[in-house]
């Protein structure tokens, strides 16, 4: 473990840029901490934190100069690895001939450095890796975008009001999947970062930074901060036996109850860092006869999503919510070996009417207990 | 090419002409379009007209007069494929506010000699009168969606016009939700996409120009906004906009009105 001073973060961003990375990280825009390109540490949300509750997100000032003193915002890294809209193919007819040319390049792909990746987000990237890369078919868009990513994780020094990564064993400390992992310490008189490397490239980058070996005291301070974050989660989710409960809870009245509130607006699935569903649309150009195939994020909350011959299979909102929750916390495990939830809390915060997945899961558990006691 | 180009007609009923203008606004694409389709009847663009029948009719505006009621049937008879464009044609438009009031009272206030006015009690969408093959939403419609539908028609494929919420467009664009981040009332979660989430992109709530999305839960949205300080009267005005008479928005504004009358 090494220690970097506050100025070491400027050196880190510079080093990443010099290595050819496009550096992405947290920045304040439109009253939220979003991810965007970082030019310097001045772009970071210095001294800003977020207050989150079901259906509510507000920024406030911390009263210090912390660079990473918030939890997670509306964006996730999925935006870059599995983009909301991407052209898969462009087919252009050859002039005067019968042939055509096909272009399946992805002009949006870059070599990115993600700065400020939270432990839950690392877990989410791990889940999407399994979805897109480990199956019989590898997704070429995800594969090309994912391969070169340099991850600077930042351990969470605080938990948000809708966080429950501790329940999902996904945080607040990043354990794997990073090149470098930082823990920020803002004391009365010192502002520094504990740095851990997690890959040969991470070690190389760290070696060029003005760091020094961490003292036992510094390590202990960082550990204490992460322990306190783990014990101050705004939410919790009991996973024990939940897949079975969801499996036999098909007829639970809770689905109808949540459907009276659910807007089927898709926000939960769009902000979810693991939701991966997409649809393809073909478009053609009247002028040059070219055709394009685009892929865009889809959601199990639309009727089109379950459209089979003759109509949608899930016409009721209750069936769509049930599909989402049952997949996320139940059948995902059979399919990909883990739940599709990392406890980031985005679906709770960014639901326009504040529907809380942990509350729904607890209610389903409760009605199951009443039924099968 | 010896093949006959399909004939396009553009018709106007009670409306502001804005949706027809979207076709003229196609500019760059207009030339490509006229290469594939004959603009046979489009009075806003040209006085020269070609007789029907027409392959594709675009109908703008709502039915507000007895004369309109007859004319739309003639147009339907002379059209192989009929598509309505814009909130007036698909939902009755802003002029459907009369549907919640007494039109005779209105005419007596607005016109010096109301006895010359022959108008219906209600402003209604085209689909209340004739079979409509496709409805293109919006106030005004989106130029890109219009081109998509015409292109899809020419290639005999399904148009990619999703019925999901505006929220999908916000999230695609990376907009920060105005409801969640500053409590601004927004109709986006119950409104059909198509505008590209224009208002939320400028930090405003959605006005619902594209009408109700599929399975809209207006009750839940209203309840949430009221819990957070929105007045019933404000919400009635929000739902009584360009798509006031679209079923889901109409029912919600009427329910709010009943609640207002009961609880004050």
């Amino acid at each position: 473990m090494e220690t970097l001073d506050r100025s070491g973060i400027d050196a880190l961003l510079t080093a990443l840029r010099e290595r050819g990375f496009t550096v992405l990280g947290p920045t304040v825009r439109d009253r939220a901490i979003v991810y965007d390109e970082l030019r310097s540490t001045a772009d970071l949300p210095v001294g800003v934190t977020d207050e989150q509750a079901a259906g509510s997100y507000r920024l406030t000032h911390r009263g210090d100069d912390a660079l990473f003193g918030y939890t997670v915002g509306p964006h996730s890294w999925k935006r870059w690895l599995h983009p909301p809209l991407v052209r898969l193919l462009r087919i252009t007819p050859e002039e005067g001939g019968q042939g055509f040319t096909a272009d399946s390049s992805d002009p949006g792909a870059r070599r990115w450095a993600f700065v400020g990746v939270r432990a839950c987000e690392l877990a989410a990237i791990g889940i999407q890796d399994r979805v897109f890369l480990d199956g019989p078919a590898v997704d070429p868009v995800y594969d090309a975008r994912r391969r070169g990513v340099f991850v600077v994780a930042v351990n969470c020094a605080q938990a948000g009001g809708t966080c429950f990564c501790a329940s999902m064993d996904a945080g607040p400390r990043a354990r794997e999947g990073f090149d470098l992992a930082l823990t920020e310490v803002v004391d009365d008189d010192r502002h520094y970062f504990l740095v851990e490397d997690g890959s040969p490239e991470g070690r190389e980058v760290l070696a060029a930074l003005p760091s020094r070996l961490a003292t036992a005291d510094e390590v202990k301070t960082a550990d204490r901060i992460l322990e306190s974050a783990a014990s101050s989660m705004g939410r919790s989710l009991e996973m024990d036996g939940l897949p079975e409960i969801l499996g036999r809870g098909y007829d639970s009245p809770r689905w109808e109850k949540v459907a009276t509130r659910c807007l089927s607006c898709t926000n939960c699935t769009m902000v979810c860092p693991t939701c991966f569903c997409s649809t393809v649309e073909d478009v053609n150009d009247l002028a040059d006869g070219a055709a394009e195939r685009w892929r865009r994020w889809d959601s199990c909350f639309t009727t089109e999503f379950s459209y089979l011959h003759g109509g949608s299979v899930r016409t009721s909102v209750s069936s769509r919510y049930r599909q989402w929750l049952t997949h996320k916390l139940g059948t995902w495990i059979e399919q990909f070996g883990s739940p599709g939830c990392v406890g980031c809390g985005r679906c709770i915060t960014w639901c326009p009417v504040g529907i809380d997945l942990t509350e729904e899961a607890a209610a389903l558990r409760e009605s199951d207990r009443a039924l099968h006691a | 090419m010896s093949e006959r180009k399909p004939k396009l007609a553009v018709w106007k009923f009670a409306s502001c002409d804005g949706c027809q203008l979207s076709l003229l606004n196609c500019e760059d694409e207009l030339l490509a379009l006229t290469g594939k389709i004959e603009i046979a009847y489009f009075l806003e663009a040209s006085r020269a007209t070609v007789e029907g029948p027409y392959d594709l009719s675009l109908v703008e505006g709502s039915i507000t007069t007895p004369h309109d009621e007859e004319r739309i049937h003639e147009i339907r008879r002379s059209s192989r494929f009929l598509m309505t464009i814009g909130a007036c044609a698909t939902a009755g438009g802003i002029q459907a506010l009369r549907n919640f009031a007494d039109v005779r009272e209105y005419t007596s206030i607005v016109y010096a000699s109301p006895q010359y006015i022959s108008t219906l009690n209600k402003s209604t969408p085209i689909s209340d009168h004739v079979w409509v093959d496709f409805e293109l939403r919006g106030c005004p419609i989106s130029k890109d969606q219009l081109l998509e539908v015409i292109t899809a028609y020419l290639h005999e494929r399904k148009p990619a016009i999703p019925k999901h919420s505006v929220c999908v467009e916000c999230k695609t664009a990376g907009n920060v939700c105005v409801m969640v981040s500053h409590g601004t009332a927004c109709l986006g979660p119950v409104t059909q996409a198509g505008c590209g989430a224009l208002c939320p992109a400028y930090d405003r709530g959605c006005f619902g120009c594209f009408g109700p999305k599929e399975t809209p839960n207006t009750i839940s949205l209203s309840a949430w906004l009221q819990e957070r300080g929105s007045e019933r009267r404000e919400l009635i005005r929000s739902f009584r906009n360009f798509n006031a008479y679209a079923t889901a928005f109409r029912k919600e504004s009427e329910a709010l009105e009943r609640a207002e009358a009961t609880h004050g």
Side-chain angles (χ1 to χ4, degrees):
Chain A
M1 197 82 80
E2 304 261 317
T3 303
L4 261 186
D5 286 336
R6 161 67 182 79
S7 61
I9 304 301
D10 292 281
L12 171 63
L13 298 191
T14 307
L16 292 171
R17 241 189 324 275
E18 279 170 1
R19 285 177 161 258
F21 289 108
T22 299
V23 181
L24 300 174
T27 192
V28 174
R29 196 218 322 142
D30 296 337
R31 294 180 253 190
I33 295 168
V34 299
Y35 295 148
D36 209 338
E37 195 165 339
L38 299 178
R39 289 156 303 176
S40 75
T41 52
D43 288 336
L44 290 168
V46 183
V48 178
T49 192
D50 46 18
E51 286 173 0
Q52 304 195 33
S56 172
Y57 177 99
R58 295 289 184 279
L59 291 186
T60 58
H61 289 283
R62 290 170 53 94
D64 63 19
D65 289 329
L67 302 182
F68 300 97
Y70 59 89
T71 54
V72 289
H75 289 174
S76 76
W77 304 102
K78 167 170 106 170
R79 225 180 147 69
W80 285 272
L81 299 177
H82 173 47
L85 199 60
V86 64
R87 195 185 75 193
L88 299 178
L89 188 64
R90 178 175 168 84
I91 297 172
T92 322
E94 272 167 9
E95 202 73 46
Q98 293 293 307
F100 60 86
T101 54
D103 174 13
S104 60
S105 63
D106 174 7
R110 298 274 181 289
R111 195 153 178 252
W112 290 298
F114 294 168
V115 174
V117 181
R118 301 301 190 179
C120 61
E121 299 186 300
L122 267 179
I125 292 170
I127 288 172
Q128 288 214 325
D129 284 351
R130 286 196 284 284
V131 171
F132 287 119
L133 306 176
D134 286 0
V138 169
D139 182 75
V141 175
Y142 187 90
D143 189 30
R145 286 167 171 250
R146 173 76 175 96
R147 212 176 296 143
V149 171
F150 187 95
V151 173
V152 180
V154 177
N155 293 320
C156 284
Q158 66 189 64
T162 57
C163 286
F164 56 102
C165 66
S167 303
M168 305 311 291
D169 200 24
R173 183 196 282 271
R175 281 181 302 234
E176 55 179 7
F178 54 81
D179 296 284
L180 291 174
L182 312 176
T183 306
E184 183 171 30
V185 182
V186 191
D187 271 352
D188 290 340
D189 52 349
R190 280 189 66 205
H191 185 183
Y192 61 96
F193 295 81
L194 277 290
V195 194
E196 191 185 337
D197 57 74
S199 72
E201 197 177 12
R203 240 183 318 281
E204 237 177 77
V205 172
L206 181 57
L209 298 179
S211 68
R212 53 174 177 73
L213 209 62
T215 66
D217 260 4
E218 286 170 342
V219 173
K220 213 182 290 169
T221 305
D223 285 347
R224 217 174 29 240
I225 288 171
L226 298 187
E227 276 159 31
S228 106
S231 61
S232 58
M233 295 276 143
R235 295 285 197 279
S236 67
L237 178 66
E238 172 62 60
M239 275 302 290
D240 188 34
L242 192 59
E244 294 73 23
I245 290 168
L246 292 166
R248 58 179 179 252
Y250 187 84
D251 291 323
S252 170
R254 189 71 194 186
W255 304 123
E256 289 302 333
K257 203 166 171 195
V258 69
T260 63
R261 296 173 63 206
C262 178
L263 304 172
S264 66
C265 62
T266 79
N267 274 304
C268 49
T269 58
M270 302 274 141
V271 296
C272 177
T274 71
C275 271
F276 56 81
C277 288
S278 61
T279 186
V280 289
E281 280 170 0
D282 293 338
V283 293
N284 54 326
D285 194 306
L286 274 178
D288 60 7
E292 291 182 342
R293 173 160 290 185
W294 285 78
R295 181 169 81 185
R296 65 167 173 84
W297 285 352
D298 201 358
S299 168
C300 49
F301 282 91
T302 70
T303 58
E304 186 80 9
F305 182 84
S306 67
Y307 186 93
L308 300 178
H309 174 75
S312 174
V313 175
R314 296 187 203 106
T315 50
S316 70
V317 174
S318 58
S319 67
R320 284 177 247 159
Y321 190 87
R322 180 177 58 207
Q323 163 65 26
W324 178 67
L325 197 73
T326 306
H327 188 215
K328 188 114 311 222
L329 301 176
T331 52
W332 199 300
I333 300 170
E334 294 161 38
Q335 201 181 357
F336 300 112
S338 77
C341 174
V342 294
C344 72
R346 285 185 181 87
C347 60
I348 305 171
T349 299
W350 298 97
C351 172
V353 292
I355 295 172
D356 180 343
L357 153 146
T358 64
E359 188 187 326
E360 294 310 310
L364 284 157
R365 181 182 290 280
E366 199 47 54
S367 64
D368 180 81
R369 194 171 300 152
L371 217 62
H372 299 97
Chain B
M1 229 172 11
S2 62
E3 220 173 294
R4 182 183 74 85
K5 282 195 283 188
K7 278 155 77 176
L8 175 81
V10 184
W11 310 96
K12 176 191 156 64
F13 287 85
S15 59
C16 77
D17 285 37
C19 291
Q20 295 184 59
L21 269 178
S22 301
L23 185 57
L24 287 177
N25 274 347
C26 288
E27 293 174 0
D28 293 347
E29 297 91 343
L30 203 56
L31 271 179
L33 192 67
T34 52
K36 305 282 178 190
I37 202 163
E38 178 188 7
I39 298 182
Y41 186 98
F42 186 12
L43 293 182
E44 182 146 314
S46 169
R47 277 185 301 174
T49 59
V50 178
E51 256 182 54
Y54 306 97
D55 295 288
L56 174 61
S57 276
L58 305 181
V59 180
E60 179 197 80
S62 69
I63 303 297
T64 57
T65 67
H67 177 234
D68 285 350
E69 264 181 321
E70 287 171 23
R71 195 159 61 95
I72 190 60
H73 282 279
E74 285 166 28
I75 289 168
R76 176 69 266 193
R77 275 195 293 275
S78 65
S79 310
R80 197 160 71 82
F81 190 91
L82 187 148
M83 177 165 93
T84 50
I85 56 169
C88 300
T90 60
I94 190 74
Q95 60 274 24
L97 288 177
R98 72 161 70 164
N99 303 5
F100 302 94
D102 182 353
V103 75
R104 262 178 296 268
E105 200 184 314
Y106 276 11
T107 48
S108 71
I109 295 166
V110 174
Y111 298 101
S113 308
Q115 67 272 24
Y116 295 118
I117 301 297
S118 168
T119 189
L120 297 169
N121 288 335
K122 284 185 162 58
S123 166
T124 47
I126 302 298
S127 60
D128 276 13
H129 302 268
V130 296
W131 173 258
V132 171
D133 296 291
F134 194 85
E135 291 193 321
L136 192 61
R137 301 278 198 84
C139 184
I141 55 168
S142 135
K143 172 189 119 171
D144 293 331
Q145 285 203 335
L146 178 65
L147 279 170
E148 164 61 13
V149 181
I150 296 175
T151 308
Y153 165 78
L154 289 171
H155 290 84
E156 296 181 34
R157 66 168 169 83
K158 188 184 162 200
I161 307 289
K163 294 183 177 298
H164 58 225
S165 67
V166 171
C167 303
V168 175
E169 294 188 310
C170 263
K171 290 296 180 279
T172 301
N175 296 342
V176 176
C177 179
V178 299
M179 270 186 73
V180 173
S181 71
H182 45 94
T184 297
C186 177
L187 291 188
V190 295
T191 300
Q192 184 169 306
C195 60
L198 192 57
C199 294
Y202 290 94
D203 224 17
R204 300 284 301 263
C206 165
F207 289 89
C209 304
F210 278 60
K213 78 169 188 77
E214 58 173 18
T215 64
N217 193 344
T218 53
I219 299 172
S220 171
L221 184 66
S222 279
W224 177 266
L225 292 173
Q226 283 180 77
E227 280 165 30
R228 270 145 199 83
S230 286
E231 299 281 340
R232 263 194 294 266
R233 271 174 236 212
E234 285 171 51
L235 291 173
I236 292 169
R237 275 198 298 274
S238 299
F239 284 108
R240 284 197 185 156
N241 218 316
F242 317 108
N243 287 281
Y245 206 57
T247 307
F249 287 3
R250 173 178 62 77
K251 283 185 175 170
E252 188 56 30
S253 73
E254 285 172 346
L256 288 163
E257 209 167 45
R258 279 195 299 276
E260 185 70 6
T262 315
H263 307 293

